Amino acid sequence: MKVVVARSRREHESAITLVRQNYARRGYRTSFLTEPPAAGRSQGLYRHVTLLAQQGERAVGTLTLGLDSSAGLSVDEAHRCAVDAIRAQGRRVCELIRLAVDVGETSRSALALLVHSAYLVGRLVHRATDVFIEVNPRHVAFYERAFEFRRLGEPKMCPRVQAPSVLMHLELSQLDRRIGLARPLFQAA
């Protein structure tokens, strides 16, 4: 299994198809999934990086890293106050969106590779200090246990998928320590 950055139209379509199938299976709205996330540039950098986990040529997982800009993040739609509180501390925020993994024997490996790759891109390339993710309330315990995310606030309706979501937050310096770095890679700006 490998993780690649989606660049071609075919790779982006594979990611959208996988997300659409996973979201529809759970009863989430998928009409917003017609195109890749807005690929506009912010300060010379792309605002979204879509990652694909591939087994051979088959996409088995996808995750998009959203980078903060003047346009904000997707999580701002339902949780702007909580995200703005972190921004007000001078921190560089990003988000994990459009996560979908094929159910099967490779699902845990695909998820681990996608999250690790998003960490590397967000932390090392874009110097992010904090990451947010919106999850269904039934998945909160998993993200707390597996990645040490912490819950921020009460469930709200996610306008994109029309389902309840809980905003979760992780200071990336925690992941720095977890992977064995003696000190955080970067301090908040």
Side-chain angles (χ1 to χ4, degrees), residues 10-73:
R10 183 183 61 77
E11 290 169 333
H12 280 286
E13 287 171 358
S14 292
I16 290 170
T17 298
L18 191 57
V19 172
R20 188 179 293 122
Q21 290 169 346
N22 274 250
Y23 284 23
R25 188 174 29 244
R26 289 171 176 80
Y28 300 159
R29 193 181 88 186
T30 62
S31 59
F32 73 99
L33 293 167
T34 57
E35 294 290 327
R41 288 178 170 251
S42 171
Q43 302 165 349
L45 301 171
Y46 284 102
R47 289 189 46 238
H48 292 94
V49 179
T50 297
L51 303 168
L52 276 178
Q54 296 177 325
Q55 186 93 32
E57 291 299 311
R58 188 173 75 88
V60 295
T62 185
L63 174 64
T64 296
L65 175 68
L67 304 166
D68 203 16
S69 72
S70 60
L73 298 170

